[in-house]
Amino acid sequence: MKRLVVVESPTKARTIRNFLPRDGYQIEASMGHIRDLPASAKEIPADVKGEDWARLGVKIDDGFEPLYVVPSRKKDVVKQLRDALAEADELYIATDEDREGESIGWHLVEVLKPDIPVRRMVFHEITNEAIQRALTETRDIDVDLVEAQETRRILDRLVGYTISPLLWRKIKPKLSAGRVQSVAVRVLVMRERERVTFVPSEYWDLKAQMSKAGLGFESEMTHLGGVRLASGRDFDPDTGRLKDGLTEGEDVLLMDEIQATALAEQLPAETWRVADVKTRDRTKSPYAPFITSTLQQEANRKLGLSSSRTMSIAQKLYENGHITYMRTDSTNLSKEAIQGARTAVVDRYGSDYLNDDVREYSSAKSAQEAHEAIRPAGSEMKTRKDLGLSGMAGRLYDLIWKRTVATQMAEAKIRYTNVYFDAGDPEDAARFRASGKEIMFPGFFRAYVEGSDDPEADLEDRERPLPSFEVGETSEPSGDGAPDSVFSIDDLEPIGHETKPPSRYTEATLVKKLEEEGIGRPSTYASIIDTIQKRGYVRKEGSALVPTFTAFATNNLMEKQFERLVDTHFTAEMEDALDDIARGDQEPNPYLKSFFSGDEGIEPRVEKGMDDIDPKQISEISFPKQWGGYVVRVGKYGPYVEGPLEDGTDDTATASLPEDLAPGDTTKERLKDILEEANKGDQVLGIHHEADMPVILKSGPYGPYIQLGDDDQEGKPKRVSLPPGVEPKDVDFDLGTRIIDLPRVLGEHPETGKEIDAAIGRYGPYVRHKKKGKYTYASLKDSDNVLDVGLERALELIEEKEAKNKPQRVLGDHPETGDPVELWKGRYGPYVKHKGTNASLKDEQTIEDLTMEEAIELLDAKSKKKKKA
């Protein structure tokens, strides 16, 4: 009997082939979904092109029936699967066990129309035992799960395809709305609003450097005359002001710099007494094993990985049989996993570190994506070294291994000690507190510390022991004469603090927020974050996600016209509805009808918005208290400021805003400067001493620049943009001449003898070198100045750039041609190169992990497309 097993990816297929006999099983990959709603007009079948619903791909008036098509890029895959099916006696659908995998399997059956038995096999790890068990415990395709996924897909299509045209019409082209994406944007915008309206407050305290018996420690001032000093927790995180209900001078004391400095000079001469010593012991339990969201958060914190990169690496680890399924919101561990973890604890750390009882974790009510947490596959708990894993894949696996093993380790036992000192007159004493911490037993800290990549080193950092103290002890003056049995005050420093605006979200904290609010599901977090960046709603600044002015304008429209849709509670209720559909407790069609065409449905709201929304008004972003009379709007060509000029007239002017200006960092002064500079008009700086033409400072739609000569002269005048960091107000004749004289020759390349010069181009400042008739352009870094960069630095940059013009990896020689198969980083992403063929890597594939087999599959598919063309 011949059995055909279909999975999603070639890597997964290759791994499963290791556990099934070749003569009885054929394993093929569907390469993800083989059909979907039409992605463009050309994919819509000719017989329905004229239908009103064709653009949506959903028959709104016919029970929301979706129009599914097999895209052209998948037709070869379908043919291969049909050929394989013709020789099979049974079909096994072995796609992932979540809703997406169930949906892929259902589409396969619908398209292939097999006339042989169909069995659904599910597993959450790719091990021999799991595969063999799955073959004997097959079931039918779960129609409820399929309907839940289909409903989600239709909802996303209805939101995106119905609301996006409204955004194009009222704000700017190429924007998009999304059922979850728009809520994520709103979360980011609300945080940025808080940053704009935040008013910092200043407060002071004192820090003492103290010592006893040769051990130094710190203490901080907490009270003065019995009144507690204000600390960060006393200020409203949204406004920066004291929280409501706190009275300054009675409840808390706001000490200023003068008072703090005076105390710093006075108190060292006073007698200090130990007023109290308090000790408490606490235990800390290990964290639950990873689910998708916590893995993304911790990989971002510890490894600096984006959500999408984390999932890409985890996908490879799963498909290669190293970890269990990585899209899950269940914290459950199987019995074999628990036993494997407990054995690993004893083997590696000793029985003292094993928790007495088996520790189990309960999942959230909504957990449905898989049956188990993310953990090392199998029961042996093999380490990264055992599996021969290296690079980022090895580091991520190690993170998963440690978190899993830690769940069965003993609690950490920690002793906290606080010593309180009173300085000066007892009636008006200044109280200081020294805090100590000792780890009495590290427990699970030996394996895993959240946020730390090195548990052993972190254990040392966490220890803050204090000397022993008795109530009533008094200080001695600092210096060499102080005996070891008493404590001394070695230094006393006034410390100023300023309340900080709420931190921007990072990928990790945004995922945590979405999870807390019940928005999205494990499989969606990475794609949400990727989408809002690609659409121009967010840009990354370090690890922070910074919303743009476009995000503000779009959110204005969404809040005005689709308030429910961007409400976190409503979005969470939608997820609950999808869960109900997945359980068979709710029918999809009534829900879709209410969502789309009900009284508050998106269809009537879009129609009303097309008539009622004023584009100029909806795109306006203003904060009168912070920005005065200046407003920012988003137009067809991006954000611009509008406001009065200080020229004695009542005229209103506009000016484009820099792309990297964040709303939360915008001030009235910054907007004023941008507006004034952009509307100054042309400034003649002087006459060029060689060209005998005027050097003019001008402003254009892409920013300020220097021009040599007038606009009406014969031929196009030479123009050079201002270097980064140079403001128009700083440009005089000398600087303007240096800029317009670019490019400037830095010297000769020591190997070729060719000149190296520096200039400013379309994408910013650069240095270049011509070799074998071809230029190498190397962009300058932020720390480089195009006007004074030297030859040595230019050579470094060019050498670095030329190194990038080499393949990132060479997989080896092609088995048929003998020519090298190389992996490169390109402008549009990574790709594999062989002779004259370049093939882009798929979303889940990476340069570090791609195998020769996968590379050849990509190259063959690309070659077939070329031949077809």
Side-chain angles (χ1 to χ4, degrees), residues 331-342:
T331 53
N332 177 52
L333 288 175
S334 66
K335 290 181 180 179
E336 67 170 1
I338 291 172
Q339 187 55 50
R342 294 178 69 83

Side-chain angles (χ1 to χ4, degrees), residues 764-819:
Y766 64 85
V767 291
R768 67 179 179 179
H769 166 237
K770 193 172 187 179
K771 185 177 181 181
K772 296 181 180 178
K774 185 179 179 182
Y775 277 110
T776 295
Y777 292 84
S779 297
L780 297 185
K781 310 294 184 187
D782 291 342
S783 56
D784 298 316
N785 186 338
V786 68
L787 299 175
D788 58 26
V789 67
L791 177 62
E792 187 175 345
R793 174 60 175 156
L795 289 169
E796 288 178 8
L797 293 168
I798 289 169
E799 184 178 346
E800 182 181 314
K801 181 60 180 289
E802 288 177 341
K804 286 183 179 178
N805 290 335
K806 296 176 182 176
Q808 301 292 305
R809 275 183 70 199
V810 178
L811 294 175
D813 293 338
H814 195 288
E816 295 178 8
T817 68
D819 293 303

Side-chain angles (χ1 to χ4, degrees), residues 98-110:
D98 58 6
R99 294 176 189 167
E100 189 81 24
E102 205 75 16
S103 178
I104 291 173
W106 178 78
H107 281 290
L108 282 166
V109 173
E110 289 291 302

